[in-house]
Amino acid sequence: MRNRWPNLAAALLIIVQLVSRGSNVSAQGGTCFDTLASRIKSDDNLIYFSSALGETSLESSLQGPGPYLVFAPTDIAFSNLAGNEQEILNLELSKLVQYHIAGAPASEEYLAMTPGSTIDIRTLCSDCNEVTIETLPSGKVLVNEGANAYEAVETCNGLLVLIDNVLSPSIGSVSNPPDKEEDIECSVDDPTCCDLPPPEFTCALQKQYGKCDEPWMLVGNGNGGFCRYTCGRCGRGPSSGGND
């Protein structure tokens, strides 16, 4: 019996080492445990935002590959919403949540900011205005001028930034310059089934990255899913340029 204890201790040590190695390898491969979704769900200061995510299909996206940049209003921020802020209170929940989430490379741009710099990023809300992030010389970070970013947490699939105000988007204020408009592809068999351009990258790249079946791609901006034609949701795939 005495000889079994050293063997048991050695076995436990090996298991711990294997679990640690397995976590590192899976994280490098795009699957991990410390995700944005799990961080948000476990944070006692983000109960309202976590509930809002749960009411949309975006929670599963934040559980999968990223990277994403998420601006998470605290519970106090939601509690401070005044009754006269009808623009936010009357906004469709999915658009409000989408406006607080940006895809790649927004997280890298955020981390690369230096004091005195300003960046504008597009969010998952394709018909909303951009989010403006400003780093003051003091190091303080402002989001859309009125929200303070006071904590940034890196996870295995993105960056979680806590803010003290709910961001208010301007719907329908986005217009692309004529020379930057993306050609819209539609199905020959069903001309009503077209590609709705996503907020980040082209439909071809989204398909190449394996994003076609992600919930935010299926939901789109409320007027139909993104990239329906390119992703083969018209009953047939695109006539050319596919990577199947």
Side-chain angles (χ1 to χ4, degrees):
M1 290 294 293
R2 290 182 180 179
N3 293 332
R4 292 184 181 179
W5 292 108
N7 293 335
L8 178 60
L12 289 174
L13 179 59
I14 293 174
I15 291 174
V16 170
Q17 291 175 341
L18 288 176
V19 170
S20 176
R21 291 175 184 173
S23 298
N24 291 335
V25 171
S26 59
Q28 292 171 1
T31 302
C32 57
F33 299 102
D34 184 27
T35 63
L36 287 162
S38 61
R39 280 291 186 118
I40 293 170
K41 196 169 186 177
S42 63
D43 195 319
D44 293 336
N45 294 315
L46 300 177
I47 295 176
Y48 292 153
F49 186 66
S50 178
S51 298
L53 276 176
E55 291 294 324
T56 69
S57 58
L58 292 169
E59 184 176 19
S60 58
S61 294
L62 298 185
Q63 193 70 40
Y68 295 100
L69 171 62
V70 179
F71 294 107
T74 62
D75 290 344
I76 294 178
F78 279 99
S79 300
N80 287 339
L81 284 177
N84 58 357
E85 296 186 62
Q86 292 299 320
E87 185 176 352
I88 294 179
L89 298 177
N90 293 336
L91 189 65
E92 183 181 338
L93 181 60
S94 61
K95 289 186 179 295
L96 181 63
V97 175
Q98 288 171 0
Y99 189 61
H100 288 75
I101 303 174
S107 58
E108 295 179 1
E109 293 178 1
Y110 185 95
L111 291 173
M113 292 185 69
T114 57
S117 61
T118 301
I119 60 173
D120 295 317
I121 61 172
R122 292 290 302 274
T123 67
L124 297 186
C125 182
S126 60
D127 55 348
C128 297
N129 59 305
E130 295 182 331
V131 170
T132 299
I133 309 168
E134 179 183 7
T135 303
L136 303 181
S138 63
K140 184 178 181 180
V141 179
L142 295 179
V143 183
N144 280 0
E145 296 184 349
N148 293 293
Y150 60 89
E151 184 178 353
V153 180
E154 287 191 74
T155 70
C156 59
N157 66 340
L159 185 66
L160 176 64
V161 180
L162 273 61
I163 56 177
D164 63 359
N165 270 313
V166 179
L167 303 179
S168 177
S170 297
I171 304 297
S173 63
V174 177
S175 59
N176 294 322
D179 59 338
K180 291 188 178 180
E181 287 185 352
E182 183 178 343
D183 291 335
I184 305 299
E185 293 191 75
C186 298
S187 169
V188 176
D189 295 337
D190 181 8
T192 64
C193 185
C194 301
D195 278 343
L196 180 65
E200 291 280 344
F201 305 110
T202 63
C203 287
L205 285 174
Q206 295 290 359
K207 181 180 180 181
Q208 180 181 335
Y209 297 156
K211 300 290 186 178
C212 280
D213 294 327
E214 293 228 347
W216 67 271
M217 285 280 287
L218 298 174
V219 172
N221 64 358
N223 297 317
F226 295 123
C227 307
R228 291 176 61 202
Y229 173 60
T230 296
C231 289
R233 293 197 292 271
C234 300
R236 62 185 288 273
S239 58
S240 62
N243 293 318
D244 295 335

